[in-house]
Amino acid sequence: MAAIALKTQATSKLLHLNGSMSVVYIKAANYSSDRKPNLAAYKRGTGGRSSFNGIVATVFGCTGFVGRYVCNKLGKIGTQLILPYRGDFYDAQRLKVCGDLGQVLFTPYHLLDEESIAKAVRYSNVVINLVGRDYETKNFKYNDVHVDGVRRIARLCREEGVERFIHLSYLNAEEHPKPLVLKKPSAWKISKYLGECAVREEYPTATIIRASDIYGSEDRFLRSLVNKMRSHSNLMPLYKNGLATVKQPVFVSDVAQGIVNAARDDDTKCEVYQAVGPKRYLLADLVDWFYKLMRKDEKWGGYIRYDMKYDPILPLKVALVNAISPAYPLGNLHWEGIEREATSDNVVIGVPTLEDLGVTLTHMEDQVPWELKPFRAHQYYMDRLGEFPKPDPPPVYSA
């Protein structure tokens, strides 16, 4: 019997369990509405950007840090991309080269405009939500983006019959976080937790990926710590001198690969994955290593790391930066960012990680030296081969 590709049609059922009503999302992929084969669903090509693998993916947050990597990896395997964008089209236009001609489509949208969101997901079988906000502005607060916006996207995906929904969250999101640097619980962590709850309510079969601090080109982890705005010349204030914070950073390409692998595997429905790196480090050891890579150790004058509670300059600098540039904190210097910097990564034993998605994790000692090379001191000094020994990687935290 000849095989034919048939257009999918979504249905939903209401089930009464233990006296309460639950929404169970069921996908029926038997026939199209007009009972005709949908030839556009055929896989075409031998693989690669010039092929079509049968997946039509909408990526919200495509112009962001993680979104660019996800779009590249999806286009590389022949995925047709629908990329919603907000603001200037030219910010998203560079993603056109992720796929072959006709495989990358753009559509304007707004988080408050349900029709534009529905239009963006109507023809997709996979929707990936990477929308996030590191700092609040007058137009978008944390709850507007992480809770209400996510709920709206998830609900419209369910109503439009989208087969898969993947949501990127935060590893340390919780309902009642303990304040470390701030005087009250972090609104960012709370909004991320409430966003996960909203996704589960609106789209029960969603896949949630909880990521730790993500590093890579144009990141906001490495570049926040080594930025000149973060330190005072050779003085580096850290929460409890960096000795009370344990980090497990993950490379952005690994996170993107995990999202792509989850999109291609139906067994990842209803699952939660932790996107963390292969090793754990003390923040103090990481910062020491960063400054050695930037040639700011003892040979070049050294730097002093100390507890930020003894620093009267940092609060004034943060207040000044946010007063001068409220729409975009210079050097990513703001209190919520410093709170996340001071937060230890809480990896739950037994919860699957990126390795369970088939991702080979990248080690920091293999990638970070290349990422920090533009920040080296005395860039124009022509050092002799072997003049500067390669710094030893930071010790792994084993407690």
Side-chain angles (χ1 to χ4, degrees), residues 17-225:
L17 300 175
N18 300 325
S20 61
M21 181 176 293
S22 301
V23 178
V24 179
Y25 182 74
I26 301 176
K27 193 70 180 179
N30 294 324
Y31 300 98
S32 61
S33 58
D34 54 2
R35 300 291 178 175
K36 295 180 181 180
N38 179 20
L39 300 180
Y42 275 115
K43 295 181 181 180
R44 300 186 297 275
T46 57
R49 297 188 194 273
S50 298
S51 303
F52 176 59
N53 61 7
I55 298 177
V56 180
T58 298
V59 183
F60 288 95
C62 60
T63 58
F65 170 48
V66 180
R68 298 192 295 271
Y69 289 82
V70 172
C71 292
N72 178 48
K73 289 183 178 293
L74 286 172
K76 192 175 182 179
I77 59 175
T79 305
Q80 188 175 77
L81 298 173
I82 299 176
L83 305 182
Y85 66 92
R86 182 177 65 89
D88 196 341
F89 166 71
Y90 293 102
D91 291 336
Q93 186 185 32
R94 55 183 171 176
L95 298 174
K96 190 75 173 178
V97 297
C98 289
D100 205 350
L101 186 63
Q103 289 294 89
V104 182
L105 309 173
F106 299 91
T107 178
Y109 91 106
H110 195 281
L111 271 179
L112 300 179
D113 184 2
E114 293 193 0
E115 179 56 34
S116 66
I117 297 175
K119 179 182 177 181
V121 305
R122 186 167 296 145
Y123 307 100
S124 301
N125 48 25
V126 175
V127 173
I128 301 171
N129 177 51
L130 307 174
V131 176
R133 169 62 70 183
D134 282 345
Y135 48 87
E136 292 185 330
T137 63
K138 66 177 182 179
N139 294 323
F140 289 99
K141 305 302 181 183
Y142 288 134
N143 283 345
D144 297 335
V145 179
H146 299 154
V147 185
D148 299 335
V150 168
R151 180 185 296 277
R152 190 173 295 111
I153 292 175
R155 173 174 57 81
L156 291 171
C157 286
R158 172 173 53 82
E159 292 175 354
E160 294 292 337
V162 176
E163 297 178 22
R164 298 294 311 280
F165 185 76
I166 300 174
H167 173 65
L168 181 64
S169 186
Y170 177 53
L171 179 68
N172 304 303
E174 52 183 318
E175 187 176 9
H176 303 290
K178 177 183 177 181
L180 302 175
V181 178
L182 299 173
K183 296 181 180 179
K184 59 181 181 180
S186 170
W188 193 85
K189 295 179 184 177
I190 296 174
S191 66
K192 281 291 188 179
Y193 170 82
L194 296 177
E196 286 190 25
C197 296
V199 168
R200 291 193 182 97
E201 291 173 7
E202 299 292 345
Y203 202 106
T205 61
T207 302
I208 297 177
I209 297 181
R210 296 173 178 166
S212 62
D213 295 287
I214 305 175
Y215 67 91
S217 297
E218 302 180 8
D219 70 343
R220 290 180 291 274
F221 176 65
L222 296 179
R223 283 155 181 78
S224 295
L225 287 169

Side-chain angles (χ1 to χ4, degrees), residues 13 47 52 55 71 85 139 151 185-186 188 193 198 203 221 228-229 235 239-240 250 272 282 293 332-333 351:
K13 289 185 178 181
F52 176 59
I55 298 177
C71 292
Y85 66 92
N139 294 323
R151 180 185 296 277
S186 170
W188 193 85
Y193 170 82
Y203 202 106
F221 176 65
K228 292 181 179 180
M229 298 296 297
L235 303 177
Y239 172 72
K240 293 188 176 180
V250 60
V272 176
L282 280 176
L293 291 172
N332 201 39
L333 185 63
V351 177

Side-chain angles (χ1 to χ4, degrees), residues 238-303:
L238 293 173
Y239 172 72
K240 293 188 176 180
N241 202 15
L243 300 175
T245 304
V246 180
K247 291 292 187 182
Q248 197 165 348
V250 60
F251 185 42
V252 60
S253 182
D254 297 342
V255 178
Q257 189 61 55
I259 293 173
V260 172
N261 292 353
R264 303 182 70 184
D265 186 0
D266 287 340
D267 292 336
T268 60
K269 290 181 178 180
C270 309
E271 293 287 349
V272 176
Y273 292 90
Q274 299 177 120
V276 295
K279 299 176 183 177
R280 295 169 65 84
Y281 307 94
L282 280 176
L283 180 61
D285 294 331
L286 281 177
V287 173
D288 290 346
W289 183 48
F290 296 163
Y291 274 76
K292 289 178 180 178
L293 291 172
M294 295 189 298
R295 296 178 180 172
K296 295 184 179 180
D297 53 355
E298 291 77 8
K299 183 176 179 60
W300 297 98
Y303 87 106

